[in-house]
Amino acid sequence: MGKKYKMTTSIPENITTPDQVETRLGTLNFFDGLPDEATVEKVYDNLDFMRGVEVFLNTMSAASTLANIEGLRSVGADNQTVVIHEDRVDAKTLLLTPNTQTVTLWACMNLTDGPLVVEIPPGVLGLAMDAWMNYIVDMGLVGPDKGQGGKYLFLPPGYEGAVPGGYLVYRPQTYNVWYALRGFTVKGDTSSAVTAFKEHFRVYPLAQAANLPETKFINGSGLYFNTIHSVTYEYYEEINTVIQAEPSESADPEILGLLASIGIVKGQPFNPNERMKKILTEAAAVGNATARALGFRARDDDFYFYPGESAWFTAFVGGSHRFIQNNVRLLDARTCFFYMATGITPAMSAKMVGAGSQYAAATVDANGDYLDGSKTYQLHLPPNIPVKTFWSLIPYDTQTRSVLQTDQRDTALSSETGTVQTNPDGSVDVYFGPEAPAGKESNWIQTVPGKGWFTILRLYSPLEPWFDKTWRPGEIVKVD
């Protein structure tokens, strides 16, 4: 120890920095707590990398919404032109874990030029989200129109004009809005749902309410377009697009600060130098790997319906569409959801016996191994599947998280079609594999050798045995 001065005291060791510190970044060197040049370079590279990963994990909802909107616009959708999957969604359209058993209308709107009205028909189920995939409103059966149909008026941010009566009025925090509606089939027949949309769905500027312009429909069935965000460096360019287009007030200041730390600032060009591009490229790769671990190998028991006993897990940890539990934001659960799915409402996450919907996903078999497209598996669903309307199972591609592309036009198995073979006791055995087991064709879902897959069990209007867990699905068992 050096000279002792009049004001010298003992210094706790845990508030000082040694001259050398061994870390995962290597050796960090200091003189009396001052980092040398090499250490400064290492920690700033690491800081930028960490913030790049955090941006990837925590802004995914915005990237996904933008991808949805740009995908729709790529095939001609605009404020008054919508995409309707008249023969249901199929594997040619790249969408995050979509439902393939309903007639689905996908649409986007931009409120820059003023308020827009969306008129919906009776009997549909839908939702609207802002550019950050924040929930705006449920529409249809669980919305304020209670399935009777209605006129939804969306006002742009900061709108101060007159608001006429006769509308269900909503004020999104962003100019861009993405919304979707489901029309239900009757024993697989889509015609009545398609007719209802074409005769009763309208979208138009409020200023033209007295002289309605035409609403145009694009048939999305069999149509290729991509609505899935990038997982490479381009991800950050996509987020920059959102930031430049939307009011700063629409985003959390903490998130805006995180974005600013890597050069994404409203009103400023995003033009990282080669060093920063290299760091962000790696950050996107690690962020993507992290999201995949969360989506396919969740480590927290709270993800699982039956922890330690079953592979089935929920997309809504904590039962909140905002991913908040006891005033704690569930960051991993939020990232998992937005990586695997799109569109979120309380009707999906809350307990609503006999209404709404519930989802259970499985990415591994009964042995805990990833599901292999070259193998054959059996899933047993016990009798009295607890639904008021119908249930479905859909296979998804582990790369795209979209519908698995096979020879089957109808990849899903659904009780709504009336073609599912039941056992004498009312239970159902489902088979997954590259070829149908003999005599099980009606209960077979095709998979692809050389590819992974996962599935989601959907329960529409679920009943109490689902919630109290007196009914539970079997595990996916490999049979060859």
Side-chain angles (χ1 to χ4, degrees):
M1 188 172 179
K3 177 180 177 181
K4 198 167 186 177
Y5 293 89
K6 291 180 180 180
M7 301 301 292
T8 300
T9 66
S10 62
I11 305 294
E13 187 176 346
N14 62 359
I15 71 169
T16 64
T17 301
D19 288 346
Q20 283 194 334
V21 180
E22 298 300 329
T23 74
R24 67 196 307 160
L25 304 181
T27 302
L28 305 181
N29 296 302
F30 301 85
F31 167 72
D32 201 22
L34 300 172
D36 69 8
E37 186 174 339
T39 295
V40 168
E41 183 177 347
K42 283 180 183 177
V43 296
Y44 276 134
D45 283 353
N46 185 60
L47 181 62
D48 291 341
F49 170 75
M50 289 193 304
R51 287 178 171 164
V53 172
E54 287 298 312
V55 165
F56 189 96
L57 296 177
N58 292 309
T59 62
M60 207 172 290
S61 60
S64 188
T65 304
L66 177 68
N68 263 287
I69 291 172
E70 290 191 338
L72 288 165
R73 289 176 179 161
S74 73
V75 293
D78 56 28
N79 278 0
Q80 288 157 236
T81 303
V82 301
V83 172
I84 177 173
H85 291 265
E86 297 185 22
D87 190 22
R88 298 155 298 165
V89 174
D90 57 60
K92 289 192 174 182
T93 303
L94 298 182
L95 296 161
L96 289 177
T97 54
N99 176 315
T100 62
Q101 294 304 293
T102 57
V103 174
T104 305
L105 184 149
W106 302 86
C108 55
M109 65 175 84
N110 186 296
L111 300 170
T112 302
D113 294 332
L116 288 170
V117 178
V118 176
E119 290 188 22
I120 69 169
V124 301
L125 181 68
L127 75 164
M129 319 294 299
D130 74 9
W132 289 89
M133 211 179 291
N134 292 314
Y135 165 77
I136 300 172
V137 62
D138 285 299
M139 298 186 284
L141 294 171
V142 296
D145 68 281
K146 300 186 186 303
Q148 300 303 305
K151 297 180 180 181
Y152 289 76
L153 173 59
F154 295 90
L155 306 177
Y159 179 78
E160 297 179 352
V163 180
Y167 297 93
L168 298 163
V169 181
Y170 294 89
R171 296 178 177 269
Q173 297 182 59
T174 61
Y175 291 105
N176 286 289
V177 172
W178 170 85
Y179 62 104
L181 296 164
R182 290 174 181 161
F184 295 96
T185 61
V186 179
K187 293 192 180 301
D189 182 16
T190 64
S191 58
S192 60
V194 172
T195 298
F197 276 129
K198 291 193 172 180
E199 290 185 354
H200 301 291
F201 175 86
R202 296 289 180 269
V203 57
Y204 50 87
L206 177 63
Q208 295 180 255
N211 185 23
L212 297 185
E214 179 187 5
T215 298
K216 298 178 182 178
F217 298 88
I218 298 168
N219 186 0
S221 294
L223 182 64
Y224 168 80
F225 59 99
N226 176 40
T227 69
I228 301 172
H229 65 77
S230 299
V231 296
T232 55
Y233 166 78
E234 286 74 20
Y235 179 94
Y236 302 100
E237 295 179 337
E238 292 167 2
I239 292 298
N240 182 61
T241 297
V242 177
I243 292 300
Q244 302 309 325
E246 303 299 348
S248 294
E249 295 76 14
S250 69
D252 185 324
E254 192 84 12
I255 291 295
L256 292 179
L258 194 61
L259 290 165
S261 74
I262 63 168
I264 298 176
V265 179
K266 187 172 178 64
Q268 297 181 19
F270 176 55
N271 188 28
N273 58 26
E274 288 306 310
R275 167 192 166 273
M276 195 64 178
K277 278 188 178 179
K278 182 179 179 181
I279 287 172
L280 291 179
T281 297
E282 185 182 3
V286 172
N288 179 55
T290 305
R292 285 189 167 274
L294 291 169
F296 295 110
R297 283 284 190 183
R299 64 181 178 177
D300 191 335
D301 281 352
D302 287 348
F303 277 80
Y304 294 92
F305 286 104
Y306 320 98
E309 301 176 10
S310 172
W312 295 103
F313 66 94
T314 178
F316 298 99
V317 179
S320 165
H321 72 287
R322 298 176 60 215
F323 304 100
I324 293 177
Q325 187 177 46
N326 299 324
N327 205 37
V328 174
R329 180 81 69 185
L330 304 177
L331 299 177
D332 289 353
R334 182 177 64 180
T335 297
C336 174
F337 179 87
F338 289 125
Y339 193 75
M340 304 292 277
T342 186
I344 187 167
T345 88
M348 293 178 176
S349 59
K351 178 180 178 179
M352 300 174 66
V353 178
S357 49
Q358 289 286 301
Y359 306 81
T363 61
V364 298
D365 65 16
N367 295 321
D369 298 322
Y370 286 129
L371 299 167
D372 182 343
S374 67
K375 307 296 183 183
T376 299
Y377 300 86
Q378 180 181 7
L379 167 64
H380 182 72
L381 300 176
N384 303 313
I385 299 172
V387 290
K388 184 178 178 181
T389 52
F390 71 96
W391 59 266
S392 73
L393 279 160
I394 302 173
Y396 296 103
D397 185 312
T398 52
Q399 282 283 8
T400 64
R401 294 93 69 209
S402 187
V403 178
L404 190 64
Q405 295 178 334
T406 68
D407 289 332
Q408 288 181 317
R409 164 62 179 79
D410 228 355
T411 54
L413 202 66
S414 170
S415 63
E416 197 275 339
T417 63
T419 61
V420 175
Q421 180 181 348
T422 59
N423 299 321
D425 65 353
S427 65
V428 176
D429 289 309
V430 179
Y431 296 86
F432 302 86
E435 297 181 2
K440 305 298 182 183
E441 290 80 4
S442 65
N443 288 26
W444 167 62
I445 293 175
Q446 188 177 15
T447 60
V448 179
K451 282 199 65 62
W453 60 276
F454 67 102
T455 191
I456 296 178
L457 170 65
R458 287 174 165 85
L459 305 175
Y460 291 97
S461 302
L463 301 177
E464 185 61 35
W466 170 255
F467 296 104
D468 67 19
K469 300 184 179 179
T470 55
W471 184 95
R472 59 185 275 186
E475 299 305 300
I476 299 175
V477 178
K478 187 163 61 175
V479 296
D480 71 354

